[in-house]
Amino acid sequence: MENINYIKGLLENNPKVLRQIYTNHADKVKNYILKQGGSVDDAKDIFQEALIIIYKKAQKADFQLTSQFSTYLLGICRFIYLRKLKKNRNNHVTNDELEGYKYDSNLEKTILDNEKHQIYESNFQKLGQVCRDLLELYFAKTNMEDIAVKLNLKNGHTARNRKYRCQKELEKRIQADVRYQELQNIR
Amino acid sequence: MLNEQDKKIEEYLNGEMSNDERQAFEAAIKNDAELAKEVTFQKDLMQFFEERNPDLERKLSELGDEFFEDDADISSNKKKYFNWLFLVVGLVLLSALGGYIYINNLNARQFDASSDLYIDAEKAINEGMEHDNGNEDAPDTMFEEEEEEKQQTQQQETEQEIEQETTEENTKMDSGDITEKSPPPMAEIDIENYKVNPMLEGIIRENVRSDGNNFKITFPRKEQTFYSKNDIINFRLEGNSSIERNVQVVLYDNKESSFSNDQYVLSTTKDLKNGDFSFSINIELKNGLYYYVMQEKETGKILHVSKFDIKKR
């Protein structure tokens, strides 16, 4: 069944299926966003964000698709777009309008988390190569000795100290990020 | 340097503490806002690294660039030009159509109200274009159809769109005077109105599989056909719900674009009590296949999707 293929392909990052998703659904979302007064770039970002959100939700054990994939995708895009409007135009969109598109109670949390993660990502990318490699390996549960060997550091102890400094650096950058501060105020 | 606190946070988040240690640490979090903030942040960071997928992001971003071309600069002029062109072509076709209707249907209302139609036609044509967005070649098909018969078919479709829009704008129940007194002159138009919408067919299947038995529709029956002498149909829904809920009923015609652009024929909400329900609504429906989607308002959960069709006697 098509629905399951899309979800499976998304979870596996299967290029063929990802392309299918764009081929079959991008125009619909683009038309919707343009009709609502958004730009093509808005549509591109929202579409990608929606797919990432579906990907994240699909990883959870309790994930259940209660409607057709296209309906779900378009619904999430609508939701993200209305949220963006609300954020940018200070409550021009009422909560009621958002309620109508709430597909499940966790959706808004997933979207907020994802916004936060986008801020993390952009700050993470500003770190040096060693820091990025180190943090990626550490959070992928690689042990410190192995990290030291891989990254050509003296030993596990050095790796640990380095990791600590990198993490502090990332933390400092994120907390200085205006977008992050705004997001903290929303919650 | 790695201080004691960071080490503890790490152990805590990795689940490496004994029960006693964990309880003591949780108590410390409660009393220390700074520590609590730090733990939350590190937890978020952990979740971020667990969930991030640079490979997927990169692939999506590439596809995004390919499928969402920013053609605003190139096409805005082009679009204006096409809009004007469409307007002119549309007006010519409309006059032809006016005459056509006059002769065939003796129903010249649309012709008389041509100034209203002018605006609606422009809108309909623009919307048609919007729908074809991203496919630059699409507008050309207008010009390829040279036989007059075909043009009329297309115009007839535009007329239907206009009619639909008007119906939507005048509160849906309004019987108005926009009725089609005689059946469409060409058989293929009729067939178009009964074609299934693959997108909604998908949901019908999905729905049957995923919905529990706390909601049931007993009328209309599955794929029921309604025969009617006039244009106003009494659309009645009967069934039962095992819980109280606010349900949204949305009725779409069979066009795929109607559903994907949310151009419904009717949208209404009903408060259902626990038990049987029955409600009906008078609505003007043309011959064709219709789908109705019932959703729980609060959660958006789809409760029922089904179809029926209308045949005029």
Side-chain angles (χ1 to χ4, degrees):
Chain A
M1 184 134 180
E2 207 181 33
N3 282 331
I4 293 163
N5 279 344
Y6 283 147
I7 299 291
K8 202 166 155 257
L10 204 53
L11 285 173
E12 292 165 350
N13 309 347
N14 180 328
K16 228 174 163 177
V17 179
L18 296 179
R19 176 167 287 277
Q20 251 172 26
I21 294 177
Y22 274 83
T23 308
N24 296 337
H25 304 285
D27 273 358
K28 241 173 279 165
V29 171
K30 189 157 104 179
N31 290 340
Y32 170 74
I33 301 290
L34 290 177
K35 216 164 137 187
Q36 300 292 316
S39 67
V40 178
D41 270 345
D42 289 338
K44 177 164 79 179
D45 293 346
I46 288 168
F47 194 78
Q48 179 166 341
E49 205 173 321
L51 289 177
I52 296 282
I53 281 159
I54 297 177
Y55 166 78
K56 285 184 177 175
K57 289 194 78 69
Q59 283 178 318
K60 306 265 157 67
D62 60 354
F63 176 75
Q64 204 196 356
L65 195 62
T66 50
S67 59
Q68 215 204 3
F69 182 82
S70 60
T71 315
Y72 189 57
L73 177 61
L74 194 61
I76 292 180
C77 288
R78 276 174 176 173
F79 192 92
I80 297 173
Y81 184 69
L82 290 176
R83 236 195 75 74
K84 280 195 201 301
L85 278 188
K86 196 182 170 190
K87 213 164 71 180
N88 295 341
R89 295 183 198 164
N90 273 337
N91 291 334
H92 267 202
V93 178
T94 64
N95 260 329
D96 258 13
E97 274 173 82
L98 286 179
E99 292 300 322
Y101 297 114
K102 214 170 245 181
Y103 272 65
D104 63 68
S105 53
N106 286 324
L107 185 59
E108 188 161 20
K109 191 188 175 305
T110 313
I111 290 173
L112 279 171
D113 278 350
N114 194 53
E115 277 176 28
K116 195 167 63 184
H117 290 173
Q118 286 174 344
I119 298 166
Y120 283 20
E121 182 70 35
S122 73
N123 284 290
F124 176 71
Q125 292 303 333
K126 287 178 195 147
L127 299 176
Q129 184 71 49
V130 179
C131 270
R132 276 181 290 157
D133 290 348
L134 219 163
L135 289 175
E136 272 182 2
L137 287 166
Y138 171 78
F139 283 103
K141 310 252 184 281
T142 317
N143 77 46
M144 284 299 176
E145 273 67 35
D146 290 346
I147 293 178
V149 173
K150 273 195 175 140
L151 298 182
N152 222 357
L153 300 169
K154 203 172 137 203
N155 54 35
H157 187 70
T158 317
R160 182 171 289 280
N161 281 335
R162 228 12 220 284
K163 176 249 155 193
Y164 171 70
R165 286 211 300 273
C166 292
Q167 191 172 312
K168 279 287 157 218
E169 173 69 20
L170 178 59
E171 194 174 334
K172 211 175 79 192
R173 282 174 185 273
I174 290 170
Q175 271 160 2
D177 194 315
V178 188
R179 291 171 298 170
Y180 182 74
Q181 290 158 7
E182 279 171 6
L183 206 58
Q184 296 300 100
N185 291 336
I186 293 175
R187 307 195 126 201
Chain B
M1 282 306 277
L2 190 63
N3 68 29
E4 197 56 29
Q5 181 179 294
D6 283 290
K7 209 168 150 188
K8 274 199 163 158
I9 294 175
E10 208 178 293
E11 281 172 7
Y12 173 69
L13 292 176
N14 287 336
E16 292 162 353
M17 281 181 165
S18 70
N19 265 351
D20 289 349
E21 279 175 322
R22 191 167 44 86
Q23 277 166 16
F25 192 72
E26 277 167 0
I29 292 174
K30 269 190 189 145
N31 295 323
D32 186 344
E34 269 306 301
L35 177 63
K37 209 176 133 196
E38 187 63 31
V39 171
T40 310
F41 181 78
Q42 295 215 22
K43 205 169 154 188
D44 278 352
L45 205 59
M46 232 168 163
Q47 193 199 350
F48 162 68
F49 277 103
E50 263 168 32
E51 288 182 1
R52 83 190 269 274
N53 186 334
D55 177 51
L56 180 64
E57 300 245 4
R58 187 181 47 77
K59 282 177 183 159
L60 293 182
S61 168
E62 279 170 17
L63 286 165
D65 288 340
E66 186 185 327
F67 281 84
F68 290 84
E69 258 179 84
D70 197 351
D71 44 17
D73 295 338
I74 323 155
S75 67
S76 63
N77 282 332
K78 223 189 218 171
K79 221 175 175 174
K80 263 182 212 150
Y81 166 73
F82 271 120
N83 280 351
W84 277 108
L85 211 58
F86 269 131
L87 204 61
V88 174
V89 173
L91 280 171
V92 170
L93 287 174
L94 275 173
S95 328
L97 170 76
Y100 179 77
I101 290 175
Y102 191 78
I103 294 157
N104 282 281
N105 294 358
L106 297 171
N107 179 4
R109 194 198 67 83
Q110 285 94 332
F111 191 52
D112 292 334
S114 59
S115 60
D116 289 337
L117 260 184
Y118 173 90
I119 298 159
D120 279 347
E122 187 188 7
K123 205 170 149 197
I125 289 161
N126 284 343
E127 276 177 10
M129 268 204 61
E130 215 169 75
H131 191 63
D132 286 327
N133 226 330
N135 183 358
E136 304 267 22
D137 296 330
D140 291 340
T141 53
M142 275 290 270
F143 305 101
E144 280 163 13
E145 311 201 321
E146 276 159 5
E147 302 150 84
E148 210 185 84
E149 223 178 54
K150 269 194 181 165
Q151 282 181 353
Q152 278 162 352
T153 310
Q154 191 166 6
Q155 205 50 54
Q156 192 77 35
E157 272 166 11
T158 317
E159 188 204 344
Q160 281 165 10
E161 266 171 53
I162 295 163
E163 234 181 79
Q164 218 170 39
E165 260 183 48
T166 328
T167 328
E168 232 178 82
E169 273 162 22
N170 306 349
T171 44
K172 283 104 205 166
M173 304 303 123
D174 191 359
S175 56
D177 51 1
I178 329 143
T179 48
E180 206 172 314
K181 291 285 182 314
S182 58
M186 269 159 278
E188 65 255 55
I189 297 173
D190 214 33
I191 292 165
E192 280 298 310
N193 288 341
Y194 289 96
K195 265 188 186 161
V196 297
N197 176 343
M199 214 158 132
L200 279 160
E201 291 292 323
I203 309 187
I204 290 179
R205 286 198 295 271
E206 187 72 18
N207 193 45
V208 169
R209 201 168 55 82
S210 67
D211 193 36
N213 49 10
N214 56 5
F215 187 83
K216 201 176 163 192
I217 290 292
T218 51
F219 185 87
R221 289 185 302 278
K222 200 178 158 203
E223 297 180 20
Q224 184 156 7
T225 301
F226 292 98
Y227 296 94
S228 170
K229 279 185 191 142
N230 48 36
D231 298 302
I232 308 294
I233 306 290
N234 182 263
F235 175 54
R236 184 160 52 95
L237 275 171
E238 284 176 7
N240 55 68
S241 170
S242 62
I243 52 166
E244 268 185 42
R245 56 181 142 205
N246 192 243
V247 171
Q248 182 163 31
V249 185
V250 190
L251 186 63
Y252 298 96
D253 66 17
N254 68 327
K255 288 201 199 74
E256 204 168 349
S257 60
S258 301
F259 176 69
S260 52
N261 297 329
D262 208 25
Q263 286 168 343
Y264 46 77
V265 183
L266 165 82
S267 174
T268 179
T269 53
K270 292 279 168 197
D271 278 316
L272 300 187
K273 299 265 180 295
N274 174 5
D276 291 347
F277 61 82
S278 170
F279 52 86
S280 67
I281 215 158
N282 285 329
I283 181 169
E284 184 191 335
L285 294 174
K286 292 183 294 182
N287 276 347
L289 178 66
Y290 293 85
Y291 290 84
Y292 61 97
V293 179
M294 300 184 77
Q295 256 177 310
E296 201 170 74
K297 187 97 201 267
E298 202 177 310
T299 58
K301 189 181 162 202
I302 293 179
L303 299 169
H304 188 84
V305 181
S306 196
K307 60 181 172 184
F308 62 87
D309 60 291
I310 306 254
K311 290 197 172 86
K312 301 271 166 66
R313 274 191 171 133

